[in-house]
Amino acid sequence: ISLNCSMEEVQQRYVELMVRPDQAEVARALGPLHESQTFGRHIFLFCGIDKNTLAQLGEIRTPSVADLFVATMSRKPGGGQ
């Protein structure tokens, strides 16, 4: 089981952050679970990071279940990406 929590817990725990390329290194330093890139922007998935901190770097939103599935299934054993 990769994800065993309610949708309310997902909304509280997980945050997706979209940043411009000039903010990508700062976001990366916060230890995201997953990173992808689309339309010239970097998208990071975080767990347990303060939303106010992330909002200073770019646009935040609650990730979809599909986004969480991709992020958890693409992680390498041992916690790396």
Side-chain angles (χ1 to χ4, degrees):
I1 298 174
S2 294
L3 182 63
N4 185 16
C5 59
S6 70
M7 287 308 294
E8 184 177 304
E9 289 173 302
V10 167
Q11 292 175 344
Q12 293 172 354
R13 192 180 307 173
Y14 295 95
V15 179
E16 190 172 85
L17 170 68
M18 183 181 294
V19 299
R20 294 183 320 271
D22 63 325
Q23 292 293 322
E25 286 301 320
V26 176
R28 217 173 269 125
L30 296 173
L33 297 174
H34 187 258
E35 176 182 353
S36 61
Q37 189 173 354
T38 185
F39 301 115
R41 296 214 171 204
H42 294 262
I43 301 170
F44 297 91
L45 179 66
F46 290 93
C47 178
I49 302 287
D50 179 59
K51 291 181 182 184
N52 292 325
T53 299
L54 296 176
Q56 294 175 17
L57 300 175
E59 179 183 332
I60 63 169
R61 69 180 188 139
T62 301
S64 69
V65 173
D67 293 334
L68 290 171
F69 177 78
V70 169
T72 54
M73 296 309 291
S74 66
R75 294 185 77 196
K76 294 179 182 175
Q81 289 192 38

